[in-house]
């Protein structure tokens, strides 16, 4: 298995050097069974419907693009607040996901689960079924209300492929800025 992985990777590198298109994406599978994307998803944008502090009824959108040659479908996304004065609480049962962007909503996606790790505060959104390569998806999280304190709030986004032993790829941070109401 390890040899086939190295051989396949060598062929892909050689093909890209010579300008030959790789005919199909093959997921990365390590000897221990860990699965990863061949080409990583990309965090396209993070946005909110309301930027004023202490406002109820906002939705925070996180848009991720999964390339055609990802090699594996997207099983879940983890979102963790890692900067901001206030800890934002979410109404997990109201979470949504759909193809496209907030401006161009497409087909609604079914969610298997939306959970929160109480130790880390990480929210994990699991798709059912996993999202196929070549799609752009948006997750909408509803906070109980926007934070009380103005400023920049950062959310680290991690994507996981389908599989029992999935290796999560850090897609970077989504930035939301909240302003005082005057």
């Amino acid at each position: 298995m390890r040899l086939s992985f190295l051989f396949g990777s060598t062929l892909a590198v050689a093909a890209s050097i010579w300008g030959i298109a790789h005919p199909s994406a093959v997921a990365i599978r390590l000897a221990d069974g860990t699965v990863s994307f061949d080409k990583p998803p990309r965090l396209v944008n993070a946005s909110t419907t309301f930027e004023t502090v202490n406002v109820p009824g906002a939705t925070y959108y996180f848009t991720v693009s999964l390339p055609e040659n990802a090699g594996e479908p997207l099983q879940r996304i983890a979102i963790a607040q890692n900067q901001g004065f206030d800890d934002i609480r979410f109404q997990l049962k109201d979470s949504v996901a759909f193809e496209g962007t907030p401006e161009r909503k497409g087909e609604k996606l079914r969610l298997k689960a939306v959970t929160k790790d109480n130790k880390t505060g990480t929210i994990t959104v699991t798709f059912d079924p996993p999202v196929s390569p070549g799609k752009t998806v948006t997750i909408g999280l509803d906070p109980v209300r926007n934070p009380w304190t103005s400023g920049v709030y950062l959310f680290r986004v991690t994507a996981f492929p389908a599989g029992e032993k999935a290796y999560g790829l850090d897609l970077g941070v989504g930035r939301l800025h909240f302003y005082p109401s005057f």
Side-chain angles (χ1 to χ4, degrees), residues 40-152:
R42 184 173 64 90
L43 177 62
V44 175
N45 194 28
S47 61
T48 179
T49 53
F50 298 110
E51 294 180 327
T52 305
V53 295
N54 195 29
V55 171
T59 300
Y60 302 169
Y61 291 116
F62 298 88
T63 302
V64 173
S65 177
L66 186 62
E68 285 282 345
N69 56 354
E72 284 291 325
L74 175 64
Q75 178 70 64
R76 66 186 191 272
I77 299 274
I79 301 169
Q81 180 185 338
N82 65 350
Q83 181 178 311
F85 188 78
D86 301 329
D87 287 332
I88 300 172
R89 294 182 307 130
F90 291 92
Q91 302 175 96
L92 299 182
K93 65 182 180 1
D94 295 334
S95 301
V96 297
F98 51 86
E99 287 185 29
T101 65
E103 300 80 23
R104 295 193 117 139
K105 292 180 183 176
E107 181 181 334
K108 187 174 180 180
L109 300 173
R110 220 170 59 206
L111 300 178
K112 181 177 184 178
V114 180
T115 60
K116 179 181 176 187
D117 181 313
N118 289 327
K119 287 183 182 179
T120 65
T122 301
I123 295 171
T124 302
V125 177
T126 305
F127 300 101
D128 181 28
V131 177
S132 302
K135 304 219 183 232
T136 296
V137 299
T138 299
I139 294 168
L141 299 178
D142 288 348
V144 172
R145 61 177 51 266
N146 280 349
W148 291 88
T149 309
S150 62
V152 173

Side-chain angles (χ1 to χ4, degrees), residues 150-174:
S150 62
V152 173
Y153 287 72
L154 299 180
F155 297 84
R156 181 150 306 281
V157 179
T158 307
F160 295 85
E164 286 185 34
K165 227 177 161 182
Y167 181 79
L169 292 178
D170 183 345
L171 305 185
V173 294

